[in-house]
Amino acid sequence: MYELNHRRIFLLLTTGCNLHCQYCFERGKHFTSTNFDVIKNVLQDELKDDQVDYQITFHGGEPFLQFSLIQQTVEWVQRKYTNYHILFDVTTNGTILTPHMRQWLIAHQDLFTISLSLDGPQEVHNTYRDNSFDRIDIDFYRSLHHCKVKMTVSPPFLHRMFDDYIYLTELGFDVSPSLAQEVEWPEELYLDIYDQQLNQFVDYQLSHPQKGLPPFFRYNIAKLSPSRRCQPSLRGCGVYFNTIGYDTKGICYPCNGFLNDFNRKIEAQEMEHLNHIFRTIPDAELLSECEGCIIQPVCSTCYALNYVYRGSIEHINKQMCSYLIHSIYATASIWAQAINSGKDYIWMRELSPLDILDTISGIMSLHQKS
């Protein structure tokens, strides 16, 4: 059962983008945009509980192509929902800035988090991101209070993933690296390299207790313990329950990932059927082909990408299974070493003693079954 004290609302502002990144998994980009009336109707339906922490995410395409809508929405919400806990965020390629946008972002930076798409130094970033490095005012973005970097790792640059992460970290950003989705990652070419990179990250994280964990270490190993394996959960992520998405017409989707096929004409009835599935069927039943998999309780398969690319939410990208399994073993390793060290790691502070015990049990269970 999910406690709905946090809800993230994705608003698709535009299906257009000014770049043509080679690994982009959004299909059929064109310049269809929403309008403020659609946004206002969506938010009036969604923002009904002043005890919930809301996060409104502006989604694209490239959301800054519709910056006036961002500004209008934020300022309207501030006026109308004065007693609510509402923050805003956006992911941008960083290439669109005007003097007015700079001024507004500085004025609203305490309410507004920006995730900047930046893959590393110029030669890395430009290869797949449309030669856009020199169009990004890095100094401006790192001057903001809440600006993070989303670093997408493509196959040819996997061997330098850790070095590129350090480069971006030393620029002053909080960096979240992740593998490019829905591209070819043949195991025989890349899995050993991925392991080598993970090992560098493990050593780095263990020597930097105040650093948060990158995405490929954010697995709840406690769920692998025997006591928690027998407690089926509805979702491994917040899809439908804590996360919801709306397209340019205001149609409700289970999460933002389902918005990524701009070519497909989606009927509201189809999305409501998916919403019903997510609120009623546990993961273990949805992913029947994964029955018996050692990591099933913490599997992070993306239902949306399964749906967009393979036509069904349960049809996983099996090519990525080995990478996921190796990430989870690396996560178990980092937890085991951190617990044994007795150091105060920032990512351990919210765990209860029972959580720690179940994490230890999960580590043991993982290695006993391997």
Side-chain angles (χ1 to χ4, degrees):
M1 186 72 178
Y2 273 82
E3 296 293 332
L4 295 181
N5 59 353
H6 174 81
R7 188 154 174 88
R8 189 174 187 184
I9 306 162
F10 282 83
L11 302 174
L12 180 61
L13 300 187
T14 177
T15 60
C17 186
N18 62 318
L19 298 183
H20 298 86
C21 302
Q22 292 184 38
Y23 50 58
C24 181
F25 51 77
E26 292 178 343
R27 291 178 163 181
K29 286 183 178 176
H30 51 282
F31 283 88
T32 298
S33 300
T34 191
N35 60 65
F36 183 62
D37 286 337
V38 169
I39 292 174
K40 187 163 61 173
N41 289 336
V42 165
L43 293 182
Q44 286 174 335
D45 286 340
E46 283 283 348
L47 304 177
K48 293 181 177 179
D49 188 347
D50 62 4
Q51 300 303 304
V52 172
D53 292 330
Y54 291 102
Q55 182 176 355
I56 298 174
T57 300
F58 300 106
H59 189 53
E62 170 49 53
F64 276 12
L65 289 171
Q66 294 295 325
F67 191 84
S68 61
L69 274 178
I70 294 175
Q71 178 179 341
Q72 190 175 10
T73 302
V74 171
E75 294 174 357
W76 174 77
V77 168
Q78 284 185 292
R79 292 193 302 270
K80 184 174 176 63
Y81 298 95
T82 54
N83 296 321
Y84 280 60
H85 306 282
I86 303 174
L87 296 174
F88 305 86
D89 69 284
V90 66
T91 296
T92 177
N93 61 39
T95 63
I96 303 173
L97 278 178
T98 65
H100 168 74
M101 292 165 66
R102 293 170 187 265
Q103 184 179 17
W104 190 91
L105 289 170
I106 291 170
H108 292 81
Q109 59 184 311
D110 288 331
L111 289 174
F112 209 90
T113 297
I114 293 178
S115 291
L116 177 65
S117 297
L118 189 62
D119 294 346
Q122 183 182 51
E123 67 273 17
V124 174
H125 181 88
N126 279 349
T127 301
Y128 286 90
R129 284 201 177 270
D130 209 8
N131 292 312
S132 59
F133 187 89
D134 289 336
R135 297 162 61 186
I136 302 171
D137 188 342
I138 292 175
D139 288 338
F140 171 77
Y141 283 107
R142 67 179 180 178
S143 74
L144 299 175
H145 295 168
H146 306 290
C147 184
K148 303 178 180 180
V149 159
K150 292 181 68 174
M151 169 188 159
T152 301
V153 182
S154 52
F157 296 112
L158 179 63
H159 68 284
R160 52 179 294 168
M161 177 172 68
F162 177 74
D163 290 340
D164 291 339
Y165 169 83
I166 294 298
Y167 166 82
L168 294 170
T169 298
E170 290 179 347
L171 287 179
F173 291 112
D174 177 10
V175 184
S176 291
S178 60
L179 300 184
Q181 297 295 306
E182 302 303 330
V183 301
E184 292 297 317
W185 287 98
E187 290 182 28
E188 66 274 12
L189 295 180
Y190 298 114
L191 192 56
D192 285 345
I193 300 173
Y194 187 58
D195 277 338
Q196 294 166 13
Q197 294 297 305
L198 286 178
N199 289 336
Q200 291 189 67
F201 274 98
V202 168
D203 292 341
Y204 178 80
Q205 295 294 148
L206 290 172
S207 61
H208 292 78
Q210 300 307 306
K211 283 282 186 182
L213 292 176
F216 38 72
F217 291 137
R218 295 176 193 162
Y219 295 100
N220 187 354
I221 300 300
K223 286 186 175 183
L224 297 174
S225 66
S227 62
R228 298 201 187 185
R229 276 183 179 272
C230 63
Q231 302 172 11
S233 60
L234 274 172
R235 295 282 79 78
C237 64
V239 57
Y240 176 75
F241 287 93
N242 298 99
T243 302
I244 206 76
Y246 290 87
D247 69 8
T248 56
K249 297 179 181 178
I251 295 175
C252 178
Y253 291 63
C255 76
N256 63 301
F258 288 87
L259 299 168
N260 290 331
D261 190 349
F262 302 144
N263 281 325
R264 184 167 181 169
K265 294 182 179 179
I266 299 294
E267 300 294 335
Q269 185 176 4
E270 180 181 358
M271 285 299 107
E272 179 50 39
H273 174 66
L274 286 176
N275 289 334
H276 174 76
I277 289 174
F278 283 124
R279 66 176 172 257
T280 58
I281 302 179
D283 281 338
E285 295 180 26
L286 264 184
L287 302 175
S288 57
E289 63 182 271
C290 301
E291 184 178 0
C293 177
I294 188 174
I295 66 162
Q296 196 277 330
V298 294
C299 179
S300 62
T301 185
C302 178
Y303 296 106
L305 289 179
N306 295 345
Y307 178 81
V308 170
Y309 275 85
R310 285 169 290 283
S312 177
I313 57 177
E314 69 266 22
H315 290 169
I316 66 174
N317 183 356
K318 292 186 177 181
Q319 186 183 64
M320 300 307 295
C321 288
S322 294
Y323 295 90
L324 176 58
I325 290 171
H326 284 234
S327 294
I328 290 170
Y329 272 95
T331 304
S333 173
I334 202 171
W335 274 100
Q337 294 181 69
I339 292 170
N340 285 333
S341 74
K343 293 181 181 178
D344 179 25
Y345 288 94
I346 191 171
W347 34 271
M348 294 179 63
R349 292 177 185 172
E350 295 183 0
L351 270 65
S352 68
L354 179 58
D355 291 329
I356 295 292
L357 288 174
D358 281 342
T359 298
I360 295 171
S361 176
I363 294 169
M364 294 173 63
S365 176
L366 184 65
H367 285 281
Q368 286 169 359
K369 295 182 179 182
S370 61

